[in-house]
Amino acid sequence: RISARALLWRGARELVRAPLPTLAALAGAMTAALAARAAWVRAGQALLDERPGRAALVALVGLSLAALLAEVTRAAALTAYAGPRRPLGRIVALGLRRTPAMIAVRVVELALYGALGLGALFVLARGLGRAGVDPARQALLAAGGLFPSLALALVVFAAARVAQTVIARGLPAAAAAAHGYDLVLRRFASLARLGLLGLAAAAPLWIMALFVPLPLCAALLGLVALWLY
């Protein structure tokens, strides 16, 4: 049985073992952040010009391209960490081949977040309408209504991360998703401890990300994500 600290040290060693894929993933995160910001700026300008259709199109295309760039470079990095040493060209080819499966898992993950959020809104709208004007009662009902959705969202998040790591090893999307949910439901406590320890260990990086410009913030958060994968 491997301890959580040993797993974190192993993750740090993987970042160093494959420096070029790691740097490519960080560069992809920085470029994606800049592209997303440019898309929002352009979309805002289109809204000011009273062109909502163009604003929606610019935001959709710009954010989609930014997300695709981040996914492709991250897939290549995870592929490098998941297997033996390979030539860079082979790593990129495998990463591109496994990117669609990773995107499929991410799409399902986002759809589940949307369903959970919509359900929570319906519960809150119905519950708070009957809570009267007592703030304590409203807070209690809001917490009770949000807790199940937040707990399920945490399970979905953890399962999606596990699924993407095994996709990097070559598993198909459906099998990887099933493995992710199976592992999370069986080992949730161990994964929670690993995640909390990882966040504590990476605290200098993600705290620094709060106070630096957007490209460097994206790179730091990308480094934390790669480490904790």
Side-chain angles (χ1 to χ4, degrees), residues 71-117:
E71 288 290 344
V72 168
T73 53
R74 187 186 302 116
L78 293 178
T79 300
Y81 306 149
R85 290 182 180 273
R86 301 184 181 98
L88 182 60
R90 177 65 174 164
I91 291 174
V92 172
L94 286 174
L96 288 173
R97 188 182 305 169
R98 292 166 184 173
T99 297
M102 292 195 178
I103 292 176
V105 168
R106 181 60 62 87
V107 168
V108 173
E109 177 189 5
L110 295 178
L112 290 174
Y113 290 154
L116 290 172

Side-chain angles (χ1 to χ4, degrees), residues 205-229:
L205 294 176
W206 57 260
I207 291 175
M208 188 187 306
L210 300 175
F211 303 100
V212 296
L214 179 63
L216 186 54
C217 172
L220 289 172
L221 294 179
L223 182 60
V224 171
L226 290 175
W227 182 14
L228 298 184
Y229 262 104

Side-chain angles (χ1 to χ4, degrees), residues 181-208:
Y181 283 99
D182 175 68
L183 181 63
V184 169
L185 293 176
R186 286 189 298 107
R187 304 294 299 275
F188 184 80
S190 298
L191 291 174
R193 285 196 299 270
L194 177 60
L196 291 174
L197 182 60
L199 287 176
L205 294 176
W206 57 260
I207 291 175
M208 188 187 306

